[in-house]
Amino acid sequence: MSIDMSQFYQTFFEESFEGLDAMESGLLSLDVGAADIETVNTIFRAAHSIKGGSGTFGFTAVAQFTHVMETLLDEMRADTITVTTETVDLLLKSVDVLRDMLTAVQTETEIDEERTIEIQSALEALLSGESVASSSEEIVGTETPTVICWTIRFKPFDYLFKTGNDPVRIFQELSELGDFSVVCNTEDLPLFEMLDPELSYLSWSIKLDGVISKEQISEVFDWVDGDCELEIGTEDQVPEKVVANLPTVAVPVPEPLSCSDEKKIPESTPLAATPAPALVKDKPTKKSTAADQGSIRVSIDKVDALINMVGELVITQSMLGQLGEQIDDDRLEKLQDGLAQLERNTRELQESVMRIRMMPISFAFQRFPRMVRDLSNQIGKEIELRLQGESTELDKTLMEKISDPLVHLVRNSIDHGIETPNDREAAGKSRVGIVELNAFHQGGNVVIEISDDGKGIDREVITGKAIEKGLISESDILTDEQVFDLIFSPGFSTAKVVSDISGRGVGMDVVKRNIRELGGSVEIQSKKNEGSKIIIRLPLTLAILDGQLIQVGSHTYIVPLVSIIESLQVKESQVNAIAGQAEIYKLRDEYIPIVRLHNSFSVNTDVTQLTDGLIVVVEGDGQRAGLFVDDLLGQQQVVIKSLETNFRPVEGVSGATILGDGTVALILDVTGLIKLSRQERIVAA
Amino acid sequence: MEATHMTQGNIGIEINAEEDQYLTFIMAAEEYGVDILRVQEIRGWNNVTPIPNTPTYIKGVINLRGTIVPIIDLRERFGMASVEYGATTVVIVLKVIKDDAERIMGIVVDAVSDVYNIEASEIKPAPDFGGEISIEFVSGLVSVEEKMLIIIDIDRLLNSGDLKIADKVSAKS
């Protein structure tokens, strides 16, 4: 009766990677001051779960490696090894190795054995070097290192197998501790016809001799804690040792064994005695996710909210259904009520479903403590990382895409922003630089701020570099904003020395492009010697956008609200035509090109006089333009549908959506439109 | 209307393993056939949302139960004179397959006609007659009940010209 374990792999890997993250963050909080026993315990538990899981699934290399880690952690727990930066560093490296190993197992590639062995031996060296004795087994806890004969009575509750535990594995683990013998007690076994194969009827008496602490034994039973009756006692009979040295021989136990006839378990080979039909489920698989990629963990609250909502929807539906059966004028009001309710339900349902995709931004933030720690060690700067607003929720896809740009920006802050401790002291600042990550919701956006209290951005350096690169000319007078924007130009780097952290200048333009692709914006604020702040604004989700409906001729288009700056009526005096072709509108102290949508899209409309329609000032990719439209209709949230699924990308159009009346409306791509109108002008000229 | 008619027609037809079924439609008095397994549904003509800067034979897109589906006027694609859409004008929604990619598209035709069982061996290659309907879109000709059917290779047809799936490499650059 074997089951396909591979279906649980995905869950195991997910849980293990989560465990590794937990270990990492635990380890990082450790090196601040003395070890907090709770934190050590958390790390230990994570390691223990990974070890247990990998053992179950037969990933022995992982299990062995984790075992060494676990031993070290156990010593830390018992305070026999003190927590030093060195140990933490080593453990962090071990976490990396473990992550690599798990990834290798997951992708079925070769494990980097050299590195594994290197770290493993470093761990072992630390264990043997720092502890008094050579083996961990000998110095655990407060127990004196003498041989103790333990007797354990283990009677699992009948639902044991449903928790996914298997006594055989427990016994295997016990047998590693010392001389081990087990006797199975089958007296509770019912008649065969009464037997429920999914229940456990057996109990065991175990004898265990060796230099073992009680903690070690109860730890083995951790998985079944609360699911069994467990008695651990000692037998201080020295002569017993003689018997116990023969572990495969059944030790006579005081109580007589009345084995029932049908199901006799051979006592002489206790380890092989698998409770036959019991292997229905296996260990750490609380749930099995069939999907192998792109799965998402959703909190129960969100699912519950969704279920409630669907319940309400069903009620509304049945109410409307009843009304529909016998409709007359008196019931019209009721019908309207019902429809209003339906609308509310639908909107709430939509919001809840969207919320399922939302994850707290801490998923993106959690890699930073480690990164900042490593980096600051590497370059000799003292840095404190502050995280705020970690519970701010963001769409999963966005989260994945924003992670790398964030890493880049944080690296930049550390490398370019924060000064060396000595420079800081000279500037009258504290030696420790502060890098702060902050996330919050603002309007329909998620705002992520990366700020540091470093040296800030030096205008002069930037402009100098820009002149050198020919991006601007010396006579240009730029606002601060424009100067800082130069940083996002391709190939722009002001770092005097190119380090492996940053300075190659391939970063910032990519960062900006990535953020733009997500429909967001990025902005820099900086004051010399006070620090800089980078502000990223992102839409809450990629699937829905706030749109402004506009009308051109008989067509309705949608302009993303985020790209609209303002809408205005045209004053003829402010329109100029360059070379009789391109129309330019003077917007306060700025000249913007006018894009006539009806021309760009070849749409017939009666509104061709600029004064008859409206100008919607939009910004795309740093460029502004005035879209000339007939009229503004309304604003609404629209669900983005791809045109590419069944067709192909269309210039000037980013997608389509379905309006309330079931017709399709195109969503305009502002950047593409500006480009399109420029091409038209070139063709026309 | 036509859809229900089709289904009833299907039931009466004996299915032979050697034979494929073809849905035929009329355009300018000629009868064309497409593999029936590619036909998703047949619907009446409804207003579409035009897509700017595309050839006129691409009429626009419609909302097909939440998916955006492009609609192609087959007359215009073949360079025939376009006609006013009337009561029999229908949109045949087809599944187009190209390099593992599946797309849904609709073609506007004058009217649907019938469903025929045609043995693969009966289909004869078409002579190269030049003109707008290039031979590459025609997989063959077949005679049924004294009529000539033009069997169309929709995968080719609906992956040609402006309907081509954007080349992934060129799309990136």
Side-chain angles (χ1 to χ4, degrees):
Chain A
M1 180 155 187
S2 76
I3 49 159
D4 180 18
M5 297 287 271
S6 59
Q7 58 178 309
F8 303 122
Y9 284 1
Q10 179 63 20
T11 314
F12 164 68
F13 287 123
E14 265 174 31
E15 290 186 349
S16 296
F17 287 126
E18 263 171 40
L20 284 174
D21 288 343
M23 284 169 80
E24 195 165 69
S25 60
L27 284 168
L28 286 168
S29 59
L30 264 188
D31 67 346
V32 196
D36 173 35
I37 193 70
E38 231 354 273
T39 321
V40 181
N41 273 334
T42 313
I43 305 167
F44 178 82
R45 274 194 296 271
H48 189 72
S49 303
I50 296 172
K51 178 184 141 187
S54 47
T56 309
F57 289 110
F59 307 139
T60 27
V62 180
Q64 276 166 5
F65 185 82
T66 328
H67 178 72
V68 185
M69 273 180 90
E70 194 192 342
T71 318
L72 180 65
L73 285 164
D74 198 27
E75 308 248 320
M76 280 166 70
R77 211 157 60 141
D79 250 348
T80 46
I81 285 183
T82 44
V83 182
T84 62
T85 325
E86 198 184 304
T87 37
V88 173
D89 277 341
L90 186 59
L91 281 168
L92 280 172
K93 273 186 204 149
S94 319
V95 170
D96 289 343
V97 169
L98 201 52
R99 187 173 285 135
D100 289 347
M101 285 172 94
L102 282 167
T103 318
V105 174
Q106 192 179 21
T107 53
E108 291 176 358
T109 47
E110 286 286 306
I111 294 173
D112 182 358
E113 285 194 17
E114 240 169 76
R115 183 141 178 263
T116 314
I117 290 165
E118 181 197 321
I119 300 287
Q120 190 165 342
S121 45
L123 283 171
E124 275 157 3
L126 192 71
L127 270 170
S128 52
E130 296 221 7
S131 58
V132 209
S134 61
S135 144
S136 65
E137 260 87 345
E138 291 183 23
I139 42 103
V140 176
T142 50
E143 305 283 332
T144 43
T146 48
V147 173
I148 305 166
C149 304
W150 294 95
T151 57
I152 305 157
R153 218 178 70 76
F154 172 53
K155 183 175 178 359
F157 296 147
D158 59 3
Y159 59 82
L160 175 83
F161 300 126
K162 292 183 179 162
T163 64
N165 284 295
D166 184 349
V168 173
R169 254 195 311 280
I170 295 173
F171 299 155
Q172 261 162 358
E173 210 164 325
L174 281 176
S175 69
E176 284 168 16
L177 294 176
D179 291 329
F180 169 87
S181 66
V182 65
V183 171
C184 180
N185 179 6
T186 52
E187 64 182 2
D188 292 334
L189 209 60
L191 289 174
F192 189 68
E193 347 19 299
M194 313 276 284
L195 186 118
D196 180 345
E198 293 196 14
L199 294 183
S200 156
Y201 300 99
L202 306 174
S203 60
W204 290 270
S205 303
I206 301 154
K207 279 180 188 293
L208 192 59
D209 299 335
V211 194
I212 307 158
S213 70
K214 191 170 176 177
E215 284 79 17
Q216 276 177 298
I217 296 175
S218 45
E219 185 189 293
V220 173
F221 288 96
D222 264 357
W223 287 113
V224 289
D225 194 24
D227 297 328
C228 65
E229 283 172 31
L230 186 66
E231 288 165 25
I232 303 173
T234 49
E235 251 177 69
D236 287 311
Q237 297 164 298
V238 191
E240 187 77 4
K241 211 187 153 211
V242 185
V243 190
N245 273 336
L246 308 161
T248 45
V249 177
V251 179
V253 188
E255 57 197 274
L257 279 172
S258 57
C259 291
S260 28
D261 3 32
E262 290 100 307
K263 206 171 167 245
K264 183 165 176 156
I265 288 173
E267 293 146 31
S268 51
T269 53
L271 287 182
T274 313
L279 256 164
V280 181
K281 283 181 184 173
D282 250 292
K283 222 219 68 239
T285 45
K286 279 146 235 152
K287 52 189 161 25
S288 66
T289 22
D292 54 322
Q293 271 179 349
S295 70
I296 195 167
R297 287 188 163 223
V298 180
S299 79
I300 296 287
D301 291 354
K302 288 180 181 173
V303 178
D304 283 349
L306 207 56
I307 290 167
N308 282 340
M309 217 81 74
V310 174
E312 265 185 64
L313 198 63
V314 170
I315 295 167
T316 313
Q317 187 271 329
S318 66
M319 184 183 118
L320 285 172
Q322 268 179 9
L323 270 172
E325 273 168 22
Q326 33 182 297
I327 189 79
D328 51 54
D329 287 354
D330 321 340
R331 290 170 172 260
L332 204 61
E333 203 176 315
K334 268 195 171 174
L335 181 68
Q336 276 164 347
D337 284 354
L339 286 173
Q341 197 174 320
L342 184 67
E343 192 191 330
R344 204 192 64 229
N345 289 157
T346 326
R347 189 173 309 129
E348 281 174 7
L349 191 63
Q350 188 195 27
E351 277 169 17
S352 309
V353 174
M354 297 309 294
R355 220 168 285 145
I356 283 194
R357 287 191 59 87
M358 304 294 252
M359 291 164 79
I361 202 157
S362 53
F363 280 94
F365 278 6
Q366 66 191 2
R367 63 206 278 194
F368 289 117
R370 172 77 193 276
M371 199 189 91
V372 170
R373 184 178 186 278
D374 288 356
L375 275 183
S376 51
N377 284 346
Q378 196 183 328
I379 58 175
K381 291 180 181 175
E382 290 172 33
I383 290 160
E384 186 190 333
L385 178 73
R386 289 184 187 162
L387 299 176
Q388 270 184 38
E390 289 168 273
S391 58
T392 309
E393 291 198 322
L394 189 63
D395 188 275
K396 186 177 191 274
T397 324
L398 274 173
M399 180 98 64
E400 282 160 2
K401 297 211 168 129
I402 197 66
S403 250
D404 287 339
L406 277 184
V407 167
H408 195 91
L409 291 172
V410 172
R411 276 167 173 265
N412 262 342
S413 282
I414 294 169
D415 205 30
H416 300 314
I418 304 285
E419 314 91 326
T420 57
N422 291 340
D423 286 356
R424 288 183 65 88
E425 233 166 23
K429 297 187 205 174
S430 106
R431 286 179 69 85
V432 181
I434 294 167
V435 173
E436 191 174 311
L437 279 169
N438 190 8
F440 54 91
H441 284 212
Q442 193 180 61
N445 291 323
V446 173
V447 183
I448 305 169
E449 292 177 348
I450 300 135
S451 44
D452 62 67
D453 66 345
K455 57 176 177 271
I457 295 170
D458 193 332
R459 261 195 77 117
E460 305 307 311
V461 177
I462 304 278
T463 42
K465 187 90 180 181
I467 291 165
E468 184 190 310
K469 295 233 170 201
L471 294 167
I472 51 168
S473 71
E474 266 174 81
S475 54
D476 284 345
I477 298 160
L478 300 172
T479 62
D480 274 0
E481 205 178 305
Q482 284 167 319
V483 172
F484 297 150
D485 222 36
L486 286 171
I487 296 172
F488 293 115
S489 315
F492 194 91
S493 173
T494 57
K496 288 185 186 92
V497 184
V498 174
S499 68
D500 70 331
I501 301 169
S502 54
R504 272 175 250 104
V506 283
M508 289 306 262
D509 61 316
V510 180
V511 166
K512 182 162 184 172
R513 203 169 59 227
N514 284 354
I515 291 170
R516 285 228 161 260
E517 270 168 20
L518 298 173
S521 66
V522 57
E523 180 192 327
I524 300 182
Q525 291 173 359
S526 182
K527 267 197 183 141
K528 202 177 170 186
N529 291 329
E530 281 179 32
S532 354
K533 184 189 264 186
I534 295 155
I535 302 159
I536 301 172
R537 285 194 178 81
L538 290 173
L540 273 179
T541 164
L542 289 175
I544 284 190
L545 66 82
D546 282 310
Q548 168 73 55
L549 275 61
I550 57 163
Q551 196 182 352
V552 180
S554 57
H555 302 299
T556 305
Y557 298 103
I558 289 155
V559 184
L561 217 50
V562 281
S563 44
I564 298 182
I565 296 161
E566 60 187 302
S567 304
L568 40 93
Q569 261 181 329
V570 181
K571 286 197 197 96
E572 208 157 356
S573 59
Q574 279 166 315
V575 179
N576 296 295
I578 296 176
Q581 295 274 346
E583 288 167 303
I584 300 285
Y585 187 78
K586 183 166 186 280
L587 178 70
R588 289 179 285 275
D589 55 350
E590 207 184 337
Y591 289 97
I592 56 167
I594 292 176
V595 177
R596 282 172 177 260
L597 217 50
H598 63 96
N599 280 350
S600 297
F601 281 179
S602 320
V603 170
N604 289 328
T605 172
D606 300 334
V607 188
T608 51
Q609 284 294 314
L610 285 178
T611 40
D612 292 345
L614 290 167
I615 291 268
V616 181
V617 182
V618 290
E619 191 184 296
D621 210 10
Q623 292 173 312
R624 288 188 178 186
L627 294 185
F628 176 64
V629 303
D630 294 7
D631 206 355
L632 296 183
L633 297 174
Q635 290 179 5
Q636 76 176 60
Q637 281 204 328
V638 296
V639 180
I640 303 169
K641 303 263 180 189
S642 165
L643 270 181
E644 287 156 58
T645 323
N646 292 317
F647 191 45
R648 60 172 174 83
V650 178
E651 212 165 353
V653 175
S654 64
T657 192
I658 293 158
L659 296 178
D661 61 359
T663 58
V664 180
L666 301 179
I667 303 169
L668 302 185
D669 165 25
V670 170
T671 317
L673 262 179
I674 297 173
K675 224 165 86 187
L676 194 69
S677 75
R678 200 179 303 144
Q679 280 168 359
E680 267 165 30
R681 246 171 261 141
I682 292 164
V683 172
Chain B
M1 270 299 285
E2 272 82 6
T4 44
H5 168 72
M6 299 303 336
T7 357
Q8 282 164 356
N10 274 350
I11 296 164
I13 292 166
E14 280 175 50
I15 293 169
N16 185 325
E18 300 291 307
E19 291 173 340
D20 291 319
Q21 288 192 305
Y22 287 86
L23 172 78
T24 65
F25 54 86
I26 311 277
M27 253 186 353
E30 289 299 331
E31 203 162 343
Y32 298 82
V34 289
D35 183 356
I36 203 162
L37 295 175
R38 296 302 187 77
V39 178
Q40 297 260 304
E41 65 181 88
I42 298 167
R43 38 192 298 139
W45 166 257
N46 261 324
N47 272 337
V48 298
T49 303
I51 301 179
N53 304 322
T54 47
T56 50
Y57 63 78
I58 298 172
K59 300 315 286 180
V61 286
I62 58 160
N63 159 27
L64 187 75
R65 291 181 294 277
T67 358
I68 309 288
V69 175
I71 304 294
I72 286 95
D73 186 315
L74 212 55
R75 270 177 168 267
E76 290 185 49
R77 178 70 190 97
F78 284 166
M80 302 185 214
S82 54
V83 288
E84 194 90 348
Y85 292 158
T88 59
T89 307
V90 288
V91 176
I92 304 175
V93 180
L94 296 164
K95 191 161 70 185
V96 183
I97 300 169
K98 172 78 192 292
D99 302 337
D100 301 335
E102 231 175 63
R103 297 194 291 174
I104 308 292
M105 290 186 175
I107 52 172
V108 185
V109 299
D110 292 2
V112 281
S113 170
D114 212 333
V115 174
Y116 295 109
N117 283 4
I118 297 169
E119 262 182 57
S121 59
E122 289 173 40
I123 302 175
K124 304 281 180 281
D128 194 348
F129 37 75
E132 190 63 33
I133 323 171
S134 149
I135 186 104
E136 61 176 318
F137 304 139
V138 176
S139 47
L141 303 174
V142 66
S143 302
V144 181
E145 295 164 12
E146 315 281 289
K147 293 182 296 190
M148 187 190 75
L149 292 186
I150 305 162
I151 308 291
I152 291 181
D153 183 342
I154 54 159
D155 292 344
R156 280 241 181 93
L157 175 67
L158 298 182
N159 265 311
S160 60
D162 227 44
L163 297 169
K164 231 175 232 157
I165 297 181
D167 200 346
K168 267 168 197 147
V169 184
S170 67
K172 259 181 197 167
S173 60

